[in-house]
Amino acid sequence: MLPLLGLYVALAVGGYLVGGVSPATIVARSLGRDLLRAGSGNPGATNAGRVLGRRWGALVLVLDLLKAYLPTALVLASVGLVGALVVGGAVVLGHVVSPFLRGRGGKGVACAAGAVLAVAPLVVVVAVAVFAVVWAVLRVVGEASVVATAAVVVLGAAALGGVVPWVERPTGGWLVLVGAVVLSRHGRNVRAWWARVRG
């Protein structure tokens, strides 16, 4: 039991440090820019695209996704589901609260998508479909991200209740937690979306 606990602690710490590495910041600095002082001040793919250009924003998006997907998929294959959930969640947490950016970080959408893709790919398909529909109506990335993330939380809660048989219950609980972390970084977008819903 203790060796297994030690393994999970190591995975959590390693995942957190990996998540803390900010591709957006690295790319921006290589181009002589500082995303923490430009645009929205957020070191993520959306702000990178706004400040550096769409091509660089797309690159950051892919890197953020891979940053979470690769370690989560690797641990899933070698250690198992619980280890994968630990490392995937830690990567997302490190991304949004980076130890290398003094606690600042991205909003976690692409990073969370990478982790979820490794353990529950069909959930990502649903989230992308929801994002596409909402974006087509509102044309606002932030609010579309909020609704897509909320859909992930709902699916996770449904899986916990045994309503979604293609998502294991531990994964369902993890989806709720990861989704909550991402939503916590979208306070302004959540308020804007709620205002739209209330009319």
Side-chain angles (χ1 to χ4, degrees):
M1 181 65 181
L2 286 178
L4 192 59
L5 178 60
L7 173 62
Y8 292 152
V9 170
L11 289 173
V13 172
Y16 179 71
L17 293 176
V18 169
V21 177
S22 173
T25 302
I26 294 171
V27 170
R29 287 178 179 171
S30 72
L31 298 172
R33 303 297 298 273
D34 183 0
L35 286 185
L36 299 179
R37 298 176 181 275
S40 66
N42 181 64
T46 301
N47 196 36
R50 183 182 299 118
V51 174
L52 307 175
R54 291 184 179 179
R55 180 179 61 176
W56 297 109
L59 174 62
V60 170
L61 177 70
V62 171
L63 292 176
D64 279 344
L65 192 149
L66 290 177
K67 178 176 71 172
Y69 174 79
L70 292 177
T72 306
L74 178 62
V75 173
L76 179 63
S78 58
V79 177
L81 178 61
V82 174
L85 299 181
V86 169
V87 76
V91 171
V92 174
L93 184 62
H95 180 83
V96 301
V97 187
S98 172
F100 308 120
L101 297 177
R102 298 181 181 181
R104 298 183 67 175
K107 293 188 175 181
V109 175
C111 188
V116 175
L117 184 63
V119 296
L122 287 180
V123 172
V124 174
V125 173
V126 173
V128 169
V130 171
F131 178 93
V133 171
V134 176
W135 185 84
V137 174
L138 302 180
R139 297 288 176 174
V140 181
V141 172
E143 291 178 38
S145 297
V146 166
V147 179
T149 303
V152 170
V153 172
V154 170
L155 280 174
L160 269 176
V163 180
V164 185
W166 41 273
V167 177
E168 297 184 49
R169 288 190 175 182
T171 304
W174 177 82
L175 288 171
V176 172
L177 291 175
V178 169
V181 169
V182 175
L183 287 176
S184 72
R185 296 286 289 126
H186 286 79
R188 184 174 62 183
N189 298 120
V190 169
R191 289 189 293 271
W193 174 73
W194 182 245
R196 284 179 182 270
V197 170
R198 294 181 65 182

